[in-house]
Amino acid sequence: MASVSYHISSLLEKMTSTDKDFRFMATNDLMMELQKDSIKLDEDSEKKVVKMLLKLLEDKNGEVQNLAVKCLGPLVGKVKEYQVETIVDTLCTNMLSDKEQLRDISSIGLKTVISELPPASTGSTMTANVCKKITAQLTGAIGKQEDVSVQLEALDILSDMLSRLGGTLYSFHSSILNCLLPQLTSPRLAVRKRAIIALGHLVLTCSGNIFSELTEHLLAELKRNESTSTTRTYIQCVAGISRQAGHRIGEHLEKIIPLIVQYCNVEDDELREYCFQAFESFVRRCPKEIDPHIPNVMGLCLKYITFDPNYNYDNEEEEEEDMMETENGEDEEQESDDEYSDDDDISWKVRRSAAKCLEAIVSSRHDLLQDFYKTLSPVLISRFKEREENVKADIFSAYISLLKQTLPIQSWLHASDASGKDDVPLTMLQNQVPNIVKALHKQLKEKSIKSRQGCFSLLTELANVLPGCLADHIPALVPGIVFSLADKSSSSNMRIDTLSFLHVLLCNHQPEVFHPHIKSLLPPVVTCIGDPFYKITSEALLVTQQLVKVIRPLDKSCTFDAKPYVKDLFSGTLKRLKAADIDQEVKERAISCMGQIIYNLGDHLSTDLQPTLKIFLERLKNEITRLTTVKALTLIASSPLKIDLRPILGEGFPILASFLRKNQRALKLSTLTALDILVKNYSDSLKPAMIESVLTELPALITENDMHVSQVAIMFLTTLAKVYLSCISKISGSVLAEIFQLVHSPLLQGGALNAIIDFFQALVLTKTATMGYSELMKQLTAPIYSSGSAGASVMLHKQAYYSVAKCVAALSSACPKEATAIVNQFIQDVKNPKSSSAVKVLAFLSLAEMGRTTNLSAQRELKTVILEAFTSPSEEVKSAASYALGNISVGNLKEYLPFMLKEIGSQPKRQYLLLHSLKEVISSSPADGLKPYVEDIWALLFKHCECTEEGTRNVVAECLGKLTLVNPSELLPRLKKQLSSGDFLKTLQDPDLNVRRVALAMFNSAAHNKPSLIRDLLNAVLPSLYNETKVRRELIREVEMGPFKHTVDDGLDVRKAAFECMYTLLESCLDRLDIYEYLNHVEDGLKDHYDIRMLTFIMLARLSTLCPNAVLQRLERLIEPLRATCSTKVKAGSVKQEFEKQDELKRSAMRAVAALLTIPEVEKSPVMAEFSSQIRSNPEMASLFESIQKDSASLPTSESMDMS
């Protein structure tokens, strides 16, 4: 402690030196000291340091002053409150000084201090007191200052403080408002502008009364309209407030909008520009309240987007001709610009703001899409000729926005069953494509790079939205593409944009349409491959890869002769493939591109082929390029041209085998695919030793830890079993052991299970002695048969019995000779009273799987055996027997179905099991097979739907639903008639909780699978749905469990069902929801029970991408619950589950926070800024947040890897 104060006092002494260098160094050292966390100052040192630094602010040397200001930041956190107040007092007084330099440095000082004050949430009183001091002084300075620069600085600092610490200044809000309003009429525009910014920050945190006072004032002034200049300012102010706090201005819009509409008609371009900016901010910030005014606003935008009074567009065509002739020197072009551009002409500002406002309308009103294509699209297309570059950019951007809005419809076009009516916008767009191309194709050769880039990004979006729509216009577009690629003056970004458009074009259109143009397209693209800038090369290689597919499509006959182009394509790509010192992305794309060339054109490469394949071999050995090379080799090996790979297989195969050991999942998967195709297509060139090197690697890949890798590995084994009989005997030991292990795993299902079934069938057919039918059977069923014996060590999971049964059935269908014996064995197992229940379950499940495909009616005793099992004491055996009866009936409806229906009628005790069998029959039988029995089944089911047991009723319901699908046109109306309440909506208001829950589940399923059924019901359904999201106190009861009281919430399941419905509606019916009403309920869910919070966190993340503006408006209310979740502490001594549960909740909440942070402009919100600084400063939250960001960063890429 003593040493610190000693060190500091020696520094202070140096600061008084006459030599400026000494002062500078001492101040610098002080700064270093203050930045250390460990430093503690005693009272005396504090006083001295503060006094000294304030003195140095007036130092003669500018550099010393700057350093002294920088020291104030770290000092704020190190000294006592009254010292900070001293600093602030001095700085504020200096602000009013006559010396300009001192004023400047002091205002920087104040900003530094404000940015270092601890946020209000830390509960320190210092911030509040210091802010009040500053505010009192600043409002005074702003009000009575003659010097404008002081006013500007003071306004700036006030804005800073309001944006960071607005809430702390609560008591000053009214005086701040009174101080700011008069500044809106200041003679200096800069003062007005800063006052507007400060008001924008004030409205974020001020109370309702103050907000009303402000809006009343603005409305009154707008009505008075004293001078156009002040009116402009007031409109700017309204727009500024709406941008910052749109959710608050909404209720005043009714009064504001008519005034602004009226000012649009005043002959003043700047005023009009501000009017449109105000409209734009209303559209973005108060979508709900502006709804009734949208037609009006849109009309104004369309009128003024063509507002160009000083320019005559009629003689456009001739003008262009003349321009072409005179364009020979720069100065002339300059001159021609001057002729039209009148310096006073600012009508372009009006057009630009109208275009921006249109873009806001388009991007926020998905529901008006058809109107947009009717009225808005033609006007925008007619304005593509706009002469001002900046305006043109905004018009393009508005049109691109319209195209982007047209895209989402397609995603559920496929899901929706009534696609006819959703196509309208796309058809309307299709009809406008010729006009778009006509308006753009000339511009593709203009000098202006900006407008060419605009054209290309618009065309790219168009080709994505309507694949194939440009097919007839390729001749008009090619010259522009070639021009931008070959033009010397094109910037690199210009070329990249052109190439990426060409790529989209090639991907989305049929190859034939390009064939006439290959001659002109190919050379500039090949030139771009050789471009020194790696990004251009990389884009060009992508295009080339696509071009190769176009000039010789192998999937259909094609008359185009690719031969003349092969040499250029090949040598251009080869140069990049050989280069070792280039960018990683270029390396990878060169490999893929060359792979494509060999796949499509390998037969034209003659002597060049082998050396190129040798390069691939080199790239395989390199860790950075190996994955891409494996994929390229897979492609080449699958080429219908039968490329000769023998020269590289000898060396390449062992390298591939070694990749199966590597700890890189994508590499393993791609390598297995490559090996599979090589074994299929090149079996005669592979030596047994090569195959064995791969076989030794396989056992390690087959494990339940990674089902997908296991599946691909087993599929490869199946290929081997079919192609290489000799190697099969080697498979036996370890690989088989792993596969049996997998069959007995509870996780096995779907793809991996089917792969194993295929493999067993292939294996049995090889007729290898050690792996015959009986041997495999024994291995499969051994654990189950042994489990009955003494000390059974293996207890298999229920899923494993199903897997084994499926394998047994597959083996039996491959060896029909053996099947009868095994069926008999199973029947004996079931009859044998000594059999364990495990053996019986397996026997029934195996009979079920076999009976589904083969007719087992030859087995006379089967029915009696099954019915006897219905009385077994073991639940597992009963359900297996019921499953068996159902599936055996599928194989022979004629004999079994009437028998089953008779039993259901006569055996009340066994009803439940028999109905389960019936469900299997209905779900697995072909519709025409069932037709003759439908009436009997229907009648029978309705007999049992009033049954007292809920379990039985549920099964009946499932049967009814599945049966209706056999013949929907006839049975659905009948089913509706039976719903005596008739109306689905009434069930949502049913007094019985369970009925409401099931009704919600049904609604959810409809919203998910057939959204068109419910889209028009939403207005009626949503109130009931939202009603179910509320917590009902009367459904919460206390249960005593021994000494503990435990609360049980009976309403939880219904609430959960309601929130699940809400989530599904986001995907299918977003355009029919009032998103603000929706958010109210999401907000309640964020504070609800664990399960519901988990759901609402996911909803919030989805909402951040779907409707960011609405979420922004509600940010304050949404963040509180997130913050609460992220900062909860679990009580010490809680059970492990409690810790895990909280952990999962926090992760989920953090994911929602990460999603919110992707919303543009979110950082403007003070609440969000404060929360994210809280996350950063808390080590636990910070590390959680980082791990989530890492997860989300790795997701899309890893998924796309696996897809390929």
Side-chain angles (χ1 to χ4, degrees):
M1 183 78 202
S3 64
V4 172
S5 50
Y6 174 70
H7 179 51
I8 286 195
S9 56
S10 73
L11 287 177
L12 292 173
E13 204 170 311
K14 285 188 189 140
M15 287 180 191
T16 54
S17 154
T18 48
D19 185 341
K20 64 171 191 298
D21 292 341
F22 269 137
R23 298 200 301 276
F24 180 85
M25 289 315 294
T27 319
N28 197 30
D29 291 346
L30 178 66
M31 177 132 137
M32 292 315 200
E33 282 302 316
L34 290 174
Q35 279 171 344
K36 291 180 188 159
D37 287 337
S38 54
I39 183 171
K40 297 263 191 303
L41 297 172
D42 54 27
E43 202 146 328
D44 191 38
S45 312
E46 271 186 25
K47 220 192 244 142
K48 286 183 184 157
V49 170
V50 169
K51 194 169 160 195
M52 193 68 216
L53 285 174
L54 290 173
K55 186 175 152 211
L56 286 178
L57 288 181
E58 305 187 37
D59 195 277
K60 291 192 289 292
N61 180 282
E63 288 180 348
V64 175
Q65 282 184 332
N66 287 343
L67 265 183
V69 165
K70 279 189 187 153
C71 287
L72 292 177
L75 188 65
V76 170
K78 304 279 190 298
V79 297
K80 304 221 172 21
E81 189 176 318
Y82 69 90
Q83 294 292 1
V84 180
E85 291 186 16
T86 315
I87 296 177
V88 168
D89 274 339
T90 315
L91 290 173
C92 286
T93 321
N94 289 351
M95 282 272 304
L96 306 176
S97 127
D98 321 336
K99 298 187 199 145
E100 190 179 349
Q101 196 176 8
L102 181 58
R103 279 200 315 247
D104 288 350
I105 209 87
S106 302
S107 71
I108 296 174
L110 275 174
K111 285 181 188 166
T112 314
V113 170
I114 291 170
S115 66
E116 288 297 329
L117 286 173
S121 57
T122 51
S124 107
T125 54
M126 170 161 101
T127 304
N129 295 339
V130 171
C131 283
K132 285 174 186 163
K133 259 211 153 37
I134 300 181
T135 308
Q137 300 244 23
L138 286 181
T139 43
I142 294 170
K144 58 169 190 290
Q145 201 27 259
E146 293 75 54
D147 188 338
V148 177
S149 58
V150 174
Q151 267 184 323
L152 289 176
E153 283 301 343
L155 283 165
D156 218 17
I157 294 168
L158 189 62
S159 293
D160 247 23
M161 197 155 56
L162 283 169
S163 73
R164 252 199 97 234
L165 310 155
T168 349
L169 301 175
Y170 208 84
S171 51
F172 279 92
H173 282 174
S174 142
S175 64
I176 294 177
L177 182 66
N178 295 334
C179 144
L180 289 174
L181 288 179
Q183 302 311 318
L184 293 176
T185 51
S186 155
R188 293 291 300 268
L189 290 181
V191 173
R192 296 186 193 182
K193 205 166 185 176
R194 296 226 179 148
I196 290 176
I197 295 173
L199 282 169
H201 289 304
L202 174 67
V203 291
L204 278 171
T205 46
C206 70
S207 68
N209 298 342
I210 288 186
F211 189 80
S212 306
E213 191 184 328
L214 169 62
T215 28
E216 293 305 319
H217 175 82
L218 291 173
L219 277 167
E221 289 297 330
L222 278 175
K223 282 190 186 125
R224 261 188 41 211
N225 185 15
E226 202 165 278
S227 71
T228 318
S229 149
T230 53
T231 304
R232 281 183 208 157
T233 304
Y234 286 120
I235 291 182
Q236 267 182 303
C237 186
V238 171
I241 291 172
S242 150
R243 267 194 290 278
Q244 289 288 358
H247 51 290
R248 304 184 70 168
I249 206 166
E251 56 207 72
H252 303 277
L253 275 194
E254 278 310 309
K255 298 184 202 140
I256 297 175
I257 288 197
L259 288 169
I260 298 188
V261 168
Q262 156 199 327
Y263 285 123
C264 280
N265 301 322
V266 177
E267 283 297 321
D268 177 330
D269 288 349
E270 262 187 90
L271 182 58
R272 285 186 185 133
E273 179 191 12
Y274 298 149
C275 288
F276 283 120
Q277 285 172 352
F279 285 144
E280 182 193 354
S281 77
F282 298 150
V283 170
R284 290 197 188 278
R285 296 289 183 225
C286 339
K288 190 178 173 188
E289 292 84 357
I290 193 148
D291 185 44
H293 306 283
I294 287 277
N296 203 346
V297 171
M298 216 167 100
L300 283 168
C301 289
L302 292 176
K303 176 177 164 193
Y304 282 105
I305 197 167
T306 58
F307 171 70
D308 198 350
N310 305 339
Y311 187 73
N312 181 3
Y313 280 98
D314 296 338
N315 50 6
E316 180 96 317
E317 300 300 314
E318 303 99 74
E319 210 113 78
E320 277 194 9
E321 304 300 308
D322 302 341
M323 291 276 291
M324 288 301 173
E325 288 158 26
T326 56
E327 269 185 23
N328 49 16
E330 279 304 299
D331 37 47
E332 237 180 83
E333 197 192 11
Q334 206 49 49
E335 205 171 270
S336 65
D337 262 11
D338 288 346
E339 284 168 36
Y340 315 120
S341 96
D342 196 350
D343 284 343
D344 312 330
D345 175 22
I346 51 168
S347 64
W348 63 274
K349 289 186 170 177
V350 181
R351 298 196 298 279
R352 186 181 62 182
S353 54
K356 286 193 152 141
C357 183
L358 279 176
E359 182 176 358
I361 295 176
V362 168
S363 55
S364 59
R365 294 303 302 264
H366 188 92
D367 45 332
L368 299 176
L369 210 49
Q370 289 192 27
D371 299 350
F372 292 156
Y373 273 111
K374 238 199 256 40
T375 53
L376 193 150
S377 172
V379 177
L380 283 176
I381 294 174
S382 73
R383 288 307 300 169
F384 287 169
K385 62 181 181 205
E386 168 64 57
R387 62 202 172 94
E388 275 288 340
E389 239 181 41
N390 295 332
V391 184
K392 187 187 283 187
D394 283 314
I395 290 175
F396 280 159
S397 145
Y399 204 84
I400 289 172
S401 217
L402 177 62
L403 291 171
K404 285 199 163 107
Q405 286 298 313
T406 320
L407 249 187
I409 287 194
Q410 293 181 313
S411 64
W412 50 266
L413 251 184
H414 308 306
S416 129
D417 35 358
S419 57
K421 61 173 192 293
D422 295 326
D423 264 349
V424 182
L426 287 174
T427 326
M428 291 167 93
L429 172 61
Q430 180 74 57
N431 298 334
Q432 295 179 17
V433 169
N435 298 345
I436 296 178
V437 176
K438 189 174 165 212
L440 294 181
H441 78 97
K442 281 209 183 93
Q443 300 192 28
L444 291 176
K445 288 188 149 185
E446 275 186 13
K447 272 197 175 165
S448 148
I449 286 189
K450 193 170 177 186
S451 75
R452 272 189 283 163
Q453 277 180 309
C455 294
F456 278 128
S457 45
L458 195 149
L459 288 166
T460 307
E461 200 60 51
L462 182 63
N464 276 326
V465 173
L466 261 185
C469 69
L470 293 171
D472 307 340
H473 308 288
I474 304 288
L477 297 172
V478 167
I481 295 174
V482 174
F483 174 75
S484 271
L485 289 179
D487 178 29
K488 290 284 169 283
S489 65
S490 284
S491 66
S492 46
N493 278 351
M494 181 69 250
R495 289 203 184 134
I496 292 171
D497 287 355
T498 312
L499 285 166
S500 70
F501 165 62
L502 182 53
H503 185 241
V504 171
L505 198 63
L506 291 168
C507 291
N508 284 334
H509 291 76
Q510 290 301 320
E512 302 71 83
V513 297
F514 299 104
H515 289 160
H517 309 285
I518 295 291
K519 198 170 177 168
S520 50
L521 274 176
L522 207 120
V525 173
V526 173
T527 316
C528 285
I529 299 182
D531 196 278
F533 183 41
Y534 74 95
K535 282 193 168 159
I536 293 183
T537 309
S538 158
E539 239 0 275
L541 283 165
L542 263 191
V543 173
T544 309
Q545 187 172 349
Q546 205 52 41
L547 266 174
V548 172
K549 295 183 197 169
V550 166
I551 61 175
R552 189 178 185 193
L554 293 178
D555 44 4
K556 48 181 164 189
S557 62
C558 162
T559 49
F560 183 73
D561 178 24
K563 208 165 176 127
Y565 306 105
V566 176
K567 188 169 170 300
D568 288 347
L569 279 173
F570 175 76
S571 52
T573 310
L574 183 67
K575 211 155 102 206
R576 287 305 183 189
L577 181 68
K578 280 182 172 163
D581 53 346
I582 45 172
D583 181 76
Q584 162 83 11
E585 190 178 76
V586 177
K587 277 185 191 164
E588 290 178 359
R589 286 185 175 172
I591 293 171
S592 309
C593 184
M594 188 54 92
Q596 196 72 53
I597 291 178
I598 297 177
Y599 174 87
N600 288 65
L601 307 165
D603 48 354
H604 291 322
L605 294 180
S606 59
T607 52
D608 287 329
L609 180 61
Q610 292 315 323
T612 312
L613 289 174
K614 284 278 189 287
I615 302 179
F616 274 117
L617 205 53
E618 290 311 306
R619 298 288 171 266
L620 254 195
K621 296 174 189 165
N622 178 341
E623 189 174 335
I624 296 178
T625 51
R626 62 190 181 193
L627 179 59
T628 320
T629 313
V630 171
K631 288 181 178 172
L633 283 174
T634 311
L635 182 69
I636 296 172
S638 62
S639 168
L641 304 175
K642 301 268 179 289
I643 307 294
D644 180 13
L645 291 178
R646 278 174 307 196
I648 62 164
L649 284 180
E651 198 180 334
F653 219 78
I655 299 180
L656 288 174
S658 72
F659 288 168
L660 298 176
R661 279 198 296 269
K662 299 280 185 275
N663 190 10
Q664 188 187 351
R665 185 165 183 264
L667 182 65
K668 282 187 214 173
L669 286 167
S670 301
T671 305
L672 284 167
T673 320
L675 289 169
D676 193 58
I677 206 97
L678 284 170
V679 168
K680 277 186 185 134
N681 295 346
Y682 295 86
S683 52
D684 42 358
S685 329
L686 298 175
K687 305 201 168 48
M690 294 184 184
I691 301 282
E692 277 165 40
S693 68
V694 174
L695 271 179
T696 51
E697 305 297 343
L698 288 177
L701 296 183
I702 299 174
T703 104
E704 63 177 17
N705 297 337
D706 192 332
M707 280 296 177
H708 187 57
V709 172
S710 306
Q711 177 182 338
V712 180
I714 293 168
M715 282 152 80
F716 172 53
L717 273 172
T718 312
T719 307
L720 277 180
K722 288 177 182 158
V723 179
Y724 282 103
L725 295 179
S726 54
C727 286
I728 288 303
S729 47
K730 302 256 171 37
I731 289 186
S732 57
S734 45
V735 175
L736 267 182
E738 292 298 340
I739 291 182
F740 285 125
Q741 189 91 38
L742 204 51
V743 175
H744 299 139
S745 150
L747 305 177
L748 181 69
Q749 52 165 354
L753 176 57
N754 294 336
I756 290 181
I757 290 174
D758 291 345
F759 172 63
F760 281 149
Q761 288 185 322
L763 203 53
V764 145
L765 295 177
T766 59
K767 306 271 192 294
T768 317
T770 50
M771 279 163 281
Y773 179 82
S774 50
E775 185 53 39
L776 289 173
M777 257 335 192
K778 204 160 102 196
Q779 298 244 24
L780 267 176
T781 55
I784 297 171
Y785 280 109
S786 64
S787 68
S789 62
S793 54
V794 230
M795 265 315 285
L796 286 188
H797 187 271
K798 191 164 140 199
Q799 178 63 37
Y801 289 98
Y802 284 94
S803 307
V804 171
K806 282 198 163 77
C807 294
V808 167
L811 285 173
S812 306
S813 73
C815 309
K817 288 202 189 76
E818 318 270 354
T820 336
I822 197 88
V823 170
N824 286 328
Q825 182 202 327
F826 284 137
I827 293 179
Q828 294 315 315
D829 281 342
V830 176
K831 282 165 56 183
N832 181 355
K834 289 196 179 131
S835 298
S836 65
S837 61
V839 171
K840 288 185 181 171
V841 168
L842 175 69
F844 277 130
L845 294 180
S846 305
L847 287 169
E849 296 299 337
M850 289 153 82
R852 189 181 314 147
T853 48
T854 43
N855 183 344
L856 294 182
S857 54
Q859 302 293 340
R860 286 284 150 245
E861 38 183 4
L862 205 47
K863 285 183 200 165
T864 41
V865 169
I866 290 176
L867 289 180
E868 269 168 31
F870 278 8
T871 54
S872 152
S874 150
E875 284 298 324
E876 263 79 36
V877 173
K878 278 195 226 175
S879 103
S882 128
Y883 182 73
L885 178 60
N887 280 299
I888 293 167
S889 309
V890 173
N892 185 357
L893 286 175
K894 219 171 42 254
E895 179 162 336
Y896 277 93
L897 196 57
F899 158 74
M900 190 190 299
L901 296 177
K902 187 177 107 246
E903 286 289 316
I904 294 179
S906 60
Q907 299 277 357
K909 281 231 173 68
R910 302 177 183 164
Q911 230 166 38
Y912 180 70
L913 292 166
L914 286 161
L915 282 167
H916 264 292
S917 309
L918 181 59
K919 186 181 86 184
E920 288 296 329
V921 175
I922 299 174
S923 12
S924 307
S925 302
D928 17 336
L930 272 180
K931 284 262 167 68
Y933 307 103
V934 168
E935 288 306 320
D936 305 347
I937 302 179
W938 188 265
L940 182 83
L941 288 173
F942 269 104
K943 238 198 242 139
H944 292 292
C945 62
E946 292 292 317
C947 178
T948 46
E949 294 230 348
E950 186 183 359
T952 309
R953 285 202 310 272
N954 285 347
V955 186
V956 169
E958 265 189 83
C959 291
L960 270 175
K962 290 186 167 165
L963 187 62
T964 308
L965 289 176
V966 173
N967 183 2
S969 53
E970 203 175 300
L971 299 176
L972 198 58
R974 275 211 224 163
L975 190 60
K976 279 191 180 153
K977 212 161 45 221
Q978 292 288 344
L979 271 173
S980 52
S981 64
D983 192 358
F984 159 68
L985 300 178
K986 294 204 183 91
T987 54
L988 277 174
Q989 290 142 2
D990 197 279
D992 183 342
L993 255 185
N994 286 322
V995 173
R996 294 206 302 272
R997 193 191 76 233
V998 180
L1000 284 169
M1002 175 187 136
F1003 182 70
N1004 191 14
S1005 159
H1008 194 68
N1009 301 312
K1010 297 224 167 23
S1012 54
L1013 291 176
I1014 58 151
R1015 286 173 70 78
D1016 303 326
L1017 295 176
L1018 282 181
N1019 290 343
V1021 174
L1022 284 172
S1024 313
L1025 172 63
Y1026 290 150
N1027 200 20
E1028 291 306 328
T1029 61
K1030 296 191 173 57
V1031 179
R1032 302 264 162 86
R1033 291 272 160 254
E1034 68 273 17
L1035 293 175
I1036 298 178
R1037 53 200 168 87
E1038 283 207 333
V1039 184
E1040 295 200 356
M1041 299 171 84
F1044 300 111
K1045 280 196 174 153
H1046 186 63
T1047 47
V1048 176
D1049 181 352
D1050 292 328
L1052 180 63
D1053 285 343
V1054 179
R1055 284 209 307 285
K1056 216 157 114 184
F1059 277 108
E1060 279 165 4
C1061 289
M1062 282 173 64
Y1063 181 65
T1064 310
L1065 289 175
L1066 273 187
E1067 294 305 320
S1068 53
C1069 305
L1070 180 64
D1071 49 337
R1072 298 291 177 94
L1073 299 174
D1074 170 355
I1075 211 69
Y1076 297 95
E1077 178 59 17
Y1078 185 97
L1079 277 167
N1080 288 340
H1081 301 285
V1082 172
E1083 207 180 301
D1084 296 338
L1086 289 168
K1087 307 176 186 120
D1088 203 327
H1089 179 273
Y1090 167 81
D1091 293 341
I1092 287 172
R1093 269 155 65 198
M1094 289 294 277
L1095 249 175
T1096 43
F1097 290 152
I1098 299 172
M1099 283 158 80
L1100 196 52
R1102 194 77 194 94
L1103 282 161
S1104 315
T1105 49
L1106 291 174
C1107 36
N1109 292 334
V1111 175
L1112 263 185
Q1113 282 198 27
R1114 289 297 173 80
L1115 211 49
E1116 276 116 69
R1117 302 193 321 217
L1118 296 169
I1119 280 185
E1120 244 352 276
L1122 287 175
R1123 186 205 305 255
T1125 301
C1126 289
S1127 36
T1128 38
K1129 294 268 183 284
V1130 186
K1131 289 193 196 110
S1134 300
V1135 286
K1136 182 168 168 241
Q1137 280 94 329
E1138 193 54 42
F1139 278 106
E1140 284 170 359
K1141 216 164 157 180
Q1142 277 304 331
D1143 212 45
E1144 207 27 68
L1145 257 184
K1146 281 184 188 171
R1147 283 192 79 78
S1148 192
M1150 249 336 158
R1151 271 192 210 103
V1153 175
L1156 289 174
L1157 284 170
T1158 59
I1159 299 180
E1161 301 196 344
V1162 77
E1163 62 285 343
K1164 277 190 189 163
S1165 143
V1167 199
M1168 193 66 192
E1170 195 176 312
F1171 185 28
S1172 46
S1173 72
Q1174 187 185 342
I1175 291 176
R1176 280 195 296 273
S1177 59
N1178 172 337
E1180 186 189 341
M1181 282 204 241
S1183 69
L1184 180 61
F1185 184 68
E1186 268 165 36
S1187 77
I1188 274 161
Q1189 293 226 290
K1190 275 202 198 94
D1191 286 356
S1192 61
S1194 66
L1195 264 184
T1197 47
S1198 61
E1199 277 175 8
S1200 58
M1201 295 295 272
D1202 285 355
M1203 295 294 287
S1204 48

